[in-house]
């Protein structure tokens, strides 16, 4: 039986970097008999399809993502919120996995950075109800459940136990603001630490504001970081700034039995159509997809090849080189 991968290129450079990622998946499936076979099913989403049909996320795309084994997604321009939020829901994603890692050969503010954020993906302020109560007053209700907090923590424990966290740190750190939001972050903190304890996983904690100072000063203290939704959004962007280059950062939205894998960058309209986009973030997202499907060794092969190309291979303009997307992709495929 083949595994079905939904491929949603979307807008702008999504149409350039997602085919590069598929090329890498193909090369892996061809050279490793234990991987695949994969059946790719393409679907539309984003500005272009919205302009044609009035719908940024056609029903058939939503259904495809909901039923596929995994989805590879590029980017949507103006319609990003109308596309990505329902797609995350389609795959039932409860955790957003965002590694931020500096690579030898790439300029970074903090070259020793190697952290993975596990961000709660369904609750917090993003699930809250916002109300405009009067001309003067607006409010937001924040949602935290024990179920959601424990589900994230169970994932974090498994992630750490499987050795998927950075090598330099055991266990994980939970970042929160339970000293102020005693009910919501209090519950989150308590449940996450309790689950870690039940699994015998080492867990320490940081107040998220202190963490925002300590991370850039010394990122080597941290490995896996577990956060509520908004905090994870902000803090993982902070970490992205430390490693330099939007073109490098992959992400995974993981659900119970499928997942959506996407580069952190957007559609980059300023360089779209020129064949010069950095394919690394999309290719590393494909590596996360492989890992999610249980092909950990294949995922490592992809990462190793990316790493050696970043160290001394052809690179795109955003990394100071002059290679095209195709040239950099070819080098990564050759390195497999
Ligand atoms: P969107 O609205 O789709 O997010 P954007 O204008 O915010 O589009 P981003 O994709 O977020 O653009 O990118 C921000 C900047 O980083 C742009 O200048 C873009 O060219 C650059 N950039 C992003 N991704 C890449 C990439 N893969 N390769 C090279 N440059 C990139
Ligand atoms: Mg953007």
């Amino acid at each position: 039986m083949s595994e079905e991968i939904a491929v949603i290129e979307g807008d702008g450079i999504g149409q350039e970097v997602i085919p590069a990622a598929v090329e890498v998946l193909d090369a892996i499936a061809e050279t490793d008999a234990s991987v695949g076979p994969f059946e790719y099913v393409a679907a539309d989403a984003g500005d272009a399809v919205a302009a044609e049909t009035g719908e940024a996320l056609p029903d058939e795309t939503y259904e495809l993502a909901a039923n596929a084994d995994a989805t590879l997604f590029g980017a949507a321009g103006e319609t990003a919120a109308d596309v990505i939020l329902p797609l995350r829901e389609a795959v039932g994603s409860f955790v957003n996995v965002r590694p931020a890692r500096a690579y030898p050969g790439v300029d970074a503010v903090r070259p020793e950075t190697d952290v993975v954020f596990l961000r709660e993906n369904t609750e917090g302020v993003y699930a809250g109800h916002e109300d405009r109560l009067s001309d003067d007053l607006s409010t937001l209700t924040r949602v935290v459940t024990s179920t959601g907090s424990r589900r994230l923590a169970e994932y974090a424990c498994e992630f750490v136990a499987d050795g998927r966290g950075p090598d330099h740190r055991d266990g994980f750190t939970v970042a929160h603001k339970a000293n102020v939001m005693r009910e919501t972050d209090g519950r989150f903190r308590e449940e996450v630490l309790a689950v870690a304890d039940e699994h015998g996983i080492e867990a320490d904690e940081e107040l998220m504001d202190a963490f925002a100072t300590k991370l850039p000063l010394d990122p080597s203290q941290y490995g896996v970081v577990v956060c509520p939704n908004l905090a994870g959004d902000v803090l993982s962007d902070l970490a992205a700034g430390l490693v330099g280059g939007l073109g490098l950062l992959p992400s995974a939205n993981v659900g119970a039995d499928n997942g959506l894998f996407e580069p952190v960058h957007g559609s980059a309209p300023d360089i779209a159509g020129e064949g010069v986009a950095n394919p690394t973030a999309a290719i590393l997202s494909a590596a996360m997809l492989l890992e999610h499907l249980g092909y950990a060794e294949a995922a490592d092969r992809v990462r190793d090849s990316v790493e050696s190309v970043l160290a001394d291979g052809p690179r795109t303009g955003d990394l100071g080189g002059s290679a095209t997307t195709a040239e950099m992709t070819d080098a990564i495929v050759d390195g497999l």
Side-chain angles (χ1 to χ4, degrees), residues 10 13 21 33 43 51 77 83 85 119 131 154 157 165 177 194 203 221-222 237 253-254 270 272 276 299 302 335:
I13 62 169
V83 172
L85 297 178
R119 165 189 169 193
D131 289 302
E154 296 278 353
C157 289
K177 190 77 181 166
Q221 302 176 61
Y222 302 107
D237 268 23
N253 295 280
V254 177
D270 54 331
V276 298
V302 174

Side-chain angles (χ1 to χ4, degrees), residues 277-307:
N278 185 346
T280 304
I283 289 170
L284 291 174
S285 299
M288 295 182 86
L289 180 151
L290 286 168
E291 198 168 20
H292 180 71
L293 292 177
Y295 305 123
E297 224 170 282
D300 280 340
R301 276 177 68 203
V302 174
R303 291 190 190 108
D304 287 348
S305 182
V306 165
E307 206 171 317

Side-chain angles (χ1 to χ4, degrees), residues 137-332:
L137 175 66
S138 296
T139 60
L140 165 66
T141 310
R142 184 160 186 255
V143 177
V144 174
T145 68
S146 291
T147 310
S149 305
R150 293 184 69 88
R151 187 171 49 178
L152 174 68
E154 296 278 353
Y155 183 87
C157 289
E158 211 175 294
F159 191 91
V160 166
D162 288 349
R164 294 171 63 196
D167 291 334
H168 66 272
R169 258 298 309 264
D170 290 332
F172 65 74
T173 303
V174 53
H176 60 75
K177 190 77 181 166
N179 58 335
V180 175
M181 294 179 280
R182 292 186 193 145
E183 261 315 315
T184 49
D185 265 16
R187 181 187 292 269
F188 179 81
R189 166 189 179 274
E190 198 171 305
E191 295 289 9
V192 170
L193 291 176
V195 170
D197 192 48
E198 286 160 28
H199 289 263
I201 297 287
E202 199 180 300
D204 56 14
E205 56 182 313
E206 292 278 10
L207 292 173
M208 62 173 80
D209 47 351
F211 177 83
T213 304
K214 289 160 88 173
L215 179 75
L217 288 176
D218 181 12
S220 70
Q221 302 176 61
Y222 302 107
V224 175
V225 184
V226 176
C227 305
N229 204 337
L230 173 61
D233 193 5
V234 176
L235 295 173
S236 63
D237 268 23
L238 172 67
L242 301 178
V243 303
L246 260 183
L248 297 179
L249 293 156
S251 77
N253 295 280
V254 177
D257 50 27
N258 59 10
L260 175 86
F261 302 82
E262 52 167 336
V264 167
H265 63 73
S267 64
D270 54 331
I271 57 165
E274 292 172 20
V276 298
N278 185 346
T280 304
I283 289 170
L284 291 174
S285 299
M288 295 182 86
L289 180 151
L290 286 168
E291 198 168 20
H292 180 71
L293 292 177
Y295 305 123
E297 224 170 282
D300 280 340
R301 276 177 68 203
V302 174
R303 291 190 190 108
D304 287 348
S305 182
V306 165
E307 206 171 317
S308 59
V309 170
L310 289 175
D312 62 2
R315 66 198 54 224
T316 45
D318 57 313
L319 300 177
S322 57
T324 62
T325 307
E327 285 161 354
M328 192 167 177
T329 306
D330 287 347
I332 292 168

